[in-house]
Amino acid sequence: MNLKRNLTKNEPAAHELSNSMRCMGYSLESAIADIVDNSITAKATEIEIKFPVSPEEVCIAICDNGNGMTKEELFDAMKYGSTLKGKVRSEDDLGRFGMGLKSASHSQCRRLSVASKKNGKVSAYVWDLDVIDEEHDWLMIDCSDDEIANIPFIDYLDDKKSGTIVTWQDFDFIKKEAGDEYAELVRQQDDVANYLSLIFHRFLSKENKERLSIKINSFSLKPLDPFLEKHPKTAIKKNISIPVKDSCGIERMISIQPYILPFQKDLSKEDEKNSGGIENYRTKQGFYIYRNERLIIWGTWFNRHRDELTKYARIRVDIPNTLDDVWGIDIKKQNAKIPASIRQRLTHAVDEAMDASIRKQNYRGRIAKVDENLDYIWNRIENRGQYTYSINRDSNIFKLLENHLDDEAKSYLDIVLDEIEKNIPFHQIYLDKSRNVIDENDNEERIAEIINKAKMLLTQILQFNPKITKECAVENIFKSEPFCKHLEIKQEVMEAC
């Protein structure tokens, strides 16, 4: 039986929705990158980003010589949820939801002007949030010829067959946070340049007619090289292709290219700069995810187990835009997740790269244990009769910390621990030990600490490994330092959870 439905239109309040959509987490550089995506999709070969050069005219303009838009096409592009984006996209389209132009722009400013030239005709529309607030409706400014003539940098289009100018004005967020719009935009100019040089480095480095030119004012951006592909000591591993079905069941290919980068001592100043800066050389290893050659995520292991062998590995992963929904690409194109269907195969590619990385370590040695059945906090590594000590990153007590850190924090932790390991005060420890002045007794407070840490670890193990029994988890914990030294507390820990 068919029941008649009463349907009622419930349109969102324009002034409320337009303002709430501004808070999507864009930074200035990621917002500009989103506009550059549109320029590349429009087949632009040159993009000029105009930053203010005086406090009298504070605006940012992103100008390109791409295909441009007719008035009808521009009207649709200015719509929240462009209908053209809902249709089948070309495989080189860098767009996603048809929202980037508006959401990225209004995340930074209140007034967005877009002028575009096609077939010899220039058209322009303006989204002004002040107008929306006043009228409480989705009302754009349809620019007259006189209004078009007053758009900043409109003369860029004069000698262009086609092209588009996106102009931002009234940076209210910056005004509230920093006070001086002009000074803050000038300050962030270098950050934007560095970000775009990395995000679009593959477009900037092409050596054919497809090569892209990006300028910020009169400065031409040079591509970075996060994999140091031209460095003689970079090991480029075998490329691996993985077939993955999209949401329609069509098979698509993911390309995986592992690189093992050189030691820091083998880097020149230019190498340090090209790789993204020496401060990022250790903290930005991991996966580099590219969507249609545009970098979207980098320097993460997606919570994969990290060890000594990950220090010099960067894994380039190329995905097509046809897998956006499978990978969960967000509107800002800054987040993605590895689908369970390919995580195992991707991990295999990483492990292959790690095998090569073993040979690039400073020592070749084996862990020397007093008792092979115990999980020690410190590794004692024997190498041709000499010993070094390192913190065991696989120990249970270390995982108590590791599971609560993101990838970048883990990288910084590794750097700190490296220095701790390299600065163990062996001589002073030897002297204090010989004088029998080292306090090695565990008092009641220390025992209480160990009990609490064992309980925390047990809770975490049961949370992250739901298939393991409590009994097995407790047995595993008490094979580790410091718990193995206090078996008398085992029953108390067992009864706690």
Side-chain angles (χ1 to χ4, degrees), residues 17-26 103 105-110 129 170-173:
L17 182 59
S18 61
N19 279 284
S20 64
M21 291 188 66
R22 304 184 68 195
C23 304
M24 300 185 67
Y26 281 99
S103 60
S105 299
H106 283 311
S107 74
Q108 305 300 313
C109 70
R110 293 190 61 80
L129 296 185
D170 192 0
F171 298 86
D172 58 328
F173 289 147

Side-chain angles (χ1 to χ4, degrees), residues 91-228:
E91 292 190 358
D92 59 355
D93 190 349
L94 295 180
R96 177 71 171 108
F97 296 99
M99 296 286 287
L101 170 63
K102 288 75 66 177
S103 60
S105 299
H106 283 311
S107 74
Q108 305 300 313
C109 70
R110 293 190 61 80
R111 184 180 175 89
L112 162 66
S113 306
V114 183
S116 197
K117 182 178 182 179
K118 188 173 184 179
N119 301 328
K121 174 67 175 176
V122 177
S123 307
Y125 286 102
V126 176
W127 274 123
D128 190 324
L129 296 185
D130 289 344
V131 172
I132 294 177
D133 287 351
E134 290 169 6
E135 302 294 335
H136 288 207
D137 205 350
W138 298 102
L139 297 175
M140 284 193 305
I141 299 172
D142 183 353
C143 295
S144 65
D145 289 342
D146 289 340
E147 288 171 320
I148 291 174
N150 288 322
I151 293 176
F153 304 106
I154 191 65
D155 58 344
Y156 171 86
L157 295 174
D158 288 350
D159 61 350
K160 302 294 187 296
K161 181 179 179 181
S162 60
T164 300
I165 301 173
V166 176
T167 306
W168 296 348
Q169 294 170 290
D170 192 0
F171 298 86
D172 58 328
F173 289 147
I174 290 179
K175 194 182 301 181
K176 291 176 184 176
E177 294 173 7
D180 189 331
E181 291 176 276
Y182 170 71
E184 182 61 17
L185 290 177
V186 170
R187 187 190 69 78
Q188 293 193 45
Q189 189 170 317
D190 286 344
D191 292 338
V192 172
N194 293 332
Y195 186 86
L196 298 182
S197 295
L198 175 62
I199 294 295
F200 299 107
H201 74 92
R202 292 171 74 177
F203 294 92
L204 295 168
S205 61
K206 292 179 184 293
E207 297 181 354
N208 53 30
K209 62 181 181 179
E210 296 179 355
R211 182 173 182 174
L212 177 67
S213 167
I214 300 179
K215 290 183 178 180
I216 294 184
N217 291 346
S218 59
F219 175 75
S220 295
L221 300 189
K222 295 181 179 180
L224 298 183
D225 180 13
F227 308 107
L228 296 178

Side-chain angles (χ1 to χ4, degrees), residues 235-296:
I236 304 176
K237 299 296 292 179
K238 179 182 178 182
N239 184 274
I240 300 171
S241 294
I242 296 178
V244 176
K245 289 185 178 180
D246 63 18
S247 56
C248 297
I250 301 173
E251 189 173 272
R252 310 291 184 178
M253 300 304 295
I254 293 175
S255 175
I256 303 169
Q257 179 65 71
Y259 296 84
I260 309 300
L261 274 59
F263 284 132
Q264 293 185 42
K265 68 180 180 62
D266 295 320
L267 302 181
S268 66
K269 293 293 184 183
E270 190 67 20
D271 294 331
E272 293 175 2
K273 180 180 178 181
N274 285 337
S275 67
I278 196 63
E279 67 277 6
N280 293 325
Y281 198 66
R282 279 280 303 278
T283 61
K284 293 300 183 184
Q285 312 297 43
F287 292 107
Y288 279 61
I289 309 295
Y290 291 82
R291 176 180 176 271
N292 288 357
E293 298 190 322
R294 192 265 208 204
L295 184 60
I296 56 174

Side-chain angles (χ1 to χ4, degrees), residues 440-457:
E440 298 182 83
N441 295 319
D442 290 332
N443 56 29
E444 291 183 3
E445 184 176 354
R446 169 62 176 158
I447 298 298
E449 286 180 359
I450 294 173
I451 292 172
N452 286 333
K453 288 173 183 174
K455 292 176 181 177
M456 291 170 62
L457 189 56

Side-chain angles (χ1 to χ4, degrees), residues 424-436:
I424 300 172
F426 292 109
H427 181 66
Q428 190 61 51
I429 292 173
Y430 173 78
L431 292 177
D432 291 340
K433 182 67 175 176
S434 65
R435 293 167 52 209
N436 196 28

Side-chain angles (χ1 to χ4, degrees), residues 298-366:
W298 64 97
T300 177
W301 288 108
F302 289 113
N303 292 321
R304 178 189 182 275
H305 174 64
R306 298 155 53 84
D307 51 36
E308 180 73 10
L309 307 182
T310 64
K311 286 183 179 179
Y312 300 100
R314 293 185 177 182
I315 315 296
R316 190 180 75 198
V317 180
D318 281 293
I319 62 175
N321 64 6
T322 48
L323 292 178
D324 280 355
D325 52 349
V326 176
W327 280 76
I329 306 294
D330 73 350
I331 192 171
K332 303 192 302 292
K333 290 163 282 187
Q334 289 182 285
N335 289 298
K337 60 183 178 181
I338 298 180
S341 59
I342 67 167
R343 187 178 296 123
Q344 185 176 359
R345 287 176 286 175
L346 201 56
T347 299
H348 176 74
V350 175
D351 290 340
E352 181 179 332
M354 295 306 99
D355 289 341
S357 186
I358 293 175
R359 298 190 293 271
K360 298 185 73 67
Q361 306 308 309
N362 289 320
Y363 56 81
R364 295 186 181 94
R366 65 180 185 86

